[in-house]
Amino acid sequence: MTLLGALAIALTLCGVALRRPALPAAALGFGAGVPASAGLAVGPATLSVFVVVAAVVGCTPAPRRGARLQDPAVSLLVTFVCWALVVTAIGPWTFAGIAVLTPGKGIDAQVHAPSALQYSIGNASQVAYLLASVVAARFLWRTGTAPIALLVAAWTGSGLSAARGLLRTAGLDRTAWLFDTLPVDYSGVGDARLRGVFAEPSELAAFSLAIVAFAAVGTARADDARTRITSGTLFTVAAGNLLASASGTAVAAGCIVAVALGGSFVARFVASGGRHAGAFTVAFLTIAFASVASGTQIVDSIMQIVEEKVGSQSFDSRTAADELGYRVLVETRGMGAGLGSDRSSSFLVTLFATTGVVGVMTFGAATLTLLFRSARTVAATPVAAALLGLLVAKAVSAPDLATPLLWVLIATGIHFAARRGGTGLAGSEDDSALIHQKYNMYSAGNGFRA
């Protein structure tokens, strides 16, 4: 067991012994913030911190305080998981031999010589990762502690990545033995871009974009100075990581999310009759001043990233990988080849190739349900923005279904949507007070009181 895994497990067991679900939730959030770090390593077999903690909480009884199974988003997710398991069980046998991109062998090496579909260790591992993610999400929404995990994940992933970037700039980064303990380092040799505690810059960009959206909306929704400062600090750190990643994912998905957030802020300002005009004016002037001060540096940097990406070997390989993923969907007659059978560049394409049309429809319906319901709750609006930002980034890159932050966001969305819908959340008042006191990220009346 690694050092990070031992610390996370110790925190989890303390929470179980003391009947304090906030502690296992914090451990899950920490695991979501360091997804490229192993919690357990036995020879060549490694498990991430998040999966190890999820396995522990799955074996322990949890108080039932959160969303019940009748919640529509939960029911849709259960349907998706059941379908994914069925497809994974029969897909490699039914469609054996078709061309796929096997996870673990790399995209660049397979686009010109695809692998033949067959049962592999990848099927079993992806099923295990999905089940662990679902178990973790269920624990978080059943105990009403999902917001704790989200906030810990946001600060852990953003803070540690920024700290690693500063150490690397000073030539003092000696933390690889602690954080880079999963065999998933996809960064190229000599790549000067920041990847922080993630496997590659594009994964840091996807994570950071979600946190930027979360913190931006949290700052706009804040009703007191302390919340604005806390949210603004998180926004600054995450935005710095996003820029330092210099990833095509950051550019493509960032532009889409920026337009969406800007439109929502303007619409809210107009609908409120000019409420918080001072804050909006300050924000506008700050952005305008930063744009003028930077001159054309930001635009030039973005154009350089685009020019280097388009036409590059990486761009060509990713495009070919997505084309092959759609071909897998067609050759499996819309059924999918099963989890772990194909790994394209885009999350959407990979989901189509592995779980088929039914899988995409059920997963999409679940996430859309959460987005629409969360957007109608003041405290949950930052969560909806983060989930949307992450999904947009994953549609560009980051194809993994078992991304820990994704399932923490889903659990948090269910947490707030279930409260609003009256599906039986009766969260711990002590935990609620602890969250509000330490992080102060949500409105007190809508966020953490039963």
Side-chain angles (χ1 to χ4, degrees):
M1 183 168 290
T2 65
L3 177 60
L4 294 181
L7 293 175
I9 292 301
L11 184 62
T12 302
L13 293 178
C14 286
V16 173
L18 298 175
R19 301 183 64 82
R20 297 285 297 183
L23 298 181
L28 286 170
F30 178 78
V34 288
S37 301
L40 179 65
V42 181
T46 54
L47 295 175
S48 68
V49 175
F50 185 81
V51 171
V52 170
V53 176
V56 174
V57 299
C59 298
T60 59
R64 298 184 178 183
R65 299 172 180 167
R68 299 193 182 102
L69 188 62
Q70 287 79 3
D71 186 273
V74 178
S75 300
L76 286 167
L77 285 174
V78 170
T79 303
F80 166 75
V81 172
C82 292
W83 170 256
L85 295 179
V86 170
V87 171
T88 306
I90 66 176
W93 172 72
T94 306
F95 306 106
I98 68 172
V100 295
L101 299 178
T102 303
K105 293 185 178 181
I107 290 178
D108 293 339
Q110 292 186 89
V111 290
H112 299 297
S115 302
L117 177 61
Q118 60 182 342
Y119 287 107
S120 67
I121 190 64
N123 299 121
S125 61
Q126 291 303 314
V127 167
Y129 295 152
L130 175 61
L131 293 178
S133 300
V134 172
V135 166
R138 181 180 182 275
F139 173 87
L140 294 175
W141 78 58
R142 294 286 277 182
T143 58
T145 56
I148 298 179
L150 175 55
L151 292 171
V152 172
W155 283 104
T156 298
S158 301
L160 290 179
S161 293
R164 251 194 123 171
L166 294 176
L167 290 174
R168 180 180 177 182
T169 301
L172 300 174
D173 185 17
R174 303 292 185 272
T175 59
W177 66 272
L178 182 63
F179 297 118
D180 300 340
T181 47
L182 280 181
V184 290
D185 184 358
Y186 303 124
S187 295
V189 178
D191 194 343
R193 300 176 300 168
L194 177 65
R195 66 179 179 88
V197 291
F198 295 83
E200 60 179 342
S202 63
E203 292 194 2
L204 171 62
F207 181 94
S208 299
L209 185 59
I211 304 306
V212 163
F214 173 77
V217 177
T219 304
R221 295 284 187 179
D223 292 326
D224 59 271
R226 182 181 177 183
T227 304
R228 282 192 292 271
I229 292 173
T230 306
S231 301
T233 302
L234 179 61
F235 173 85
T236 302
V237 174
N241 291 336
L242 184 65
L243 294 174
S245 70
S247 168
T249 301
V251 174
C255 291
I256 296 173
V257 173
V259 171
L261 288 178
S264 66
F265 288 155
V266 171
R268 178 173 179 262
F269 178 71
V270 173
S272 65
R275 186 185 178 191
H276 302 305
F280 277 95
T281 301
V282 170
F284 176 78
L285 291 177
T286 301
I287 295 173
F289 176 78
S291 300
V292 173
S294 63
T296 60
Q297 293 180 2
I298 295 179
V299 176
D300 290 343
S301 298
I302 293 176
M303 292 305 299
Q304 181 179 357
I305 294 173
V306 173
E307 291 174 358
E308 291 178 352
K309 197 68 177 177
V310 176
S312 66
Q313 179 182 354
S314 174
F315 179 83
D316 294 340
S317 296
R318 290 175 182 269
T319 302
D322 288 340
E323 291 176 353
L324 183 59
Y326 284 121
R327 195 186 311 160
V328 171
L329 175 67
V330 173
E331 293 183 359
T332 59
R333 299 174 180 83
M335 180 175 144
L339 298 175
S341 295
D342 182 82
R343 189 180 191 271
S344 298
S345 175
S346 167
F347 172 69
L348 180 60
V349 177
T350 300
L351 200 63
F352 265 120
T354 55
T355 64
V357 175
V358 174
V360 171
M361 290 180 63
T362 52
F363 185 83
T367 53
L368 286 175
T369 299
L370 288 178
L371 286 172
F372 284 124
R373 294 177 66 190
S374 297
R376 297 198 300 266
T377 305
V378 174
T381 307
V383 180
L387 180 57
L388 180 60
L390 182 62
L391 290 174
V392 171
K394 287 179 71 63
V396 177
S397 184
D400 298 318
L401 174 61
T403 300
L405 182 63
L406 173 64
W407 292 93
V408 171
L409 286 169
I410 287 174
T412 311
I414 294 174
H415 168 91
F416 286 112
R419 287 187 74 257
R420 190 178 189 278
T423 55
L425 178 66
S428 167
E429 291 291 342
D430 293 337
D431 291 343
S432 300
L434 176 66
I435 303 168
H436 184 68
Q437 177 183 359
K438 283 193 172 184
Y439 303 105
N440 197 20
M441 292 287 287
Y442 294 98
S443 302
N446 294 316
F448 303 106
R449 296 185 186 276

